[in-house]
């Protein structure tokens, strides 16, 4: 895990927000990990993607995007396209995806937005 992910985990914990780290959302959609997962994912047109965090009861996946200022994987062509495919699959499976960066985590903005998204889901 990255330092920003660890920091966000601490923020969530301090607020009593239960989040699952490295949540395998596509695997869960295909019956969970275990025997035959690779075949089940292939049949569904999915990959064994993981989200940095999942708030299951709120239908929310959280992704901490790094490398924006260093030319990291998420900002280069192939990495960016792969991320879009992952987010598209998550949306098709009914998830909302919130993306944030280390600065948003450090300032507290990410936590505030997550709390707003949780409230919105609860009001729906």
């Amino acid at each position: 895990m990255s330092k920003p992910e660890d920091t966000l985990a601490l923020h969530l914990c301090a607020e009593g927000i239960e989040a699952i780290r490295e949540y395998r959302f596509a695997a869960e959609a295909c019956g969970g990990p275990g025997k035959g997962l690779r075949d089940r994912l292939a049949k569904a047109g999915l990959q064994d993607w993981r989200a940095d965090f999942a708030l299951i009861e709120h239908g929310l996946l959280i992704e901490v995007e790094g490398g924006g200022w260093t030319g990291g994987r998420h900002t280069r062509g192939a990495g960016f396209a792969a991320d879009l495919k992952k987010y598209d699959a998550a949306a098709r499976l009914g998830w909302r995806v919130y993306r944030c960066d280390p600065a948003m985590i450090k300032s507290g903005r990410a936590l505030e937005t997550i709390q707003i998204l949780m409230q919105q889901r609860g009001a729906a």
Side-chain angles (χ1 to χ4, degrees):
M1 304 295 153
S2 69
K3 184 175 180 179
E5 289 172 17
D6 287 341
T7 301
L8 182 57
L10 289 172
H11 289 185
L12 295 169
C13 185
E15 293 296 318
I17 299 170
E18 289 188 38
I20 299 171
R21 291 181 81 164
E22 292 296 313
Y23 183 69
R24 296 169 68 183
F25 68 90
E28 292 298 329
C30 289
K35 187 173 181 167
L37 174 62
R38 200 172 283 182
D39 290 334
R40 287 180 277 137
L41 287 167
K43 286 179 185 174
L46 301 171
Q47 296 176 27
D48 193 11
W49 289 296
R50 290 165 173 76
D52 294 329
F53 297 90
L55 279 58
I56 305 290
E57 66 187 62
H58 298 283
L60 181 63
L61 299 178
I62 303 165
E63 287 287 290
V64 178
E65 304 290 1
W69 297 101
T70 60
R73 179 200 164 281
H74 298 287
T75 61
R76 293 191 307 253
F80 184 76
D83 283 348
L84 291 178
K85 186 176 178 183
K86 173 181 169 178
Y87 303 146
D88 177 76
R92 286 171 174 249
L93 292 170
W95 291 97
R96 296 178 300 157
V97 179
Y98 173 63
R99 299 170 62 200
C100 58
D101 72 2
M104 295 166 77
I105 293 168
K106 186 176 180 180
S107 72
R109 177 140 185 122
L111 179 62
E112 290 174 3
T113 300
I114 291 164
Q115 290 171 320
I116 290 168
L117 292 168
M118 290 170 59
Q119 291 170 357
Q120 289 172 346
R121 181 63 168 234

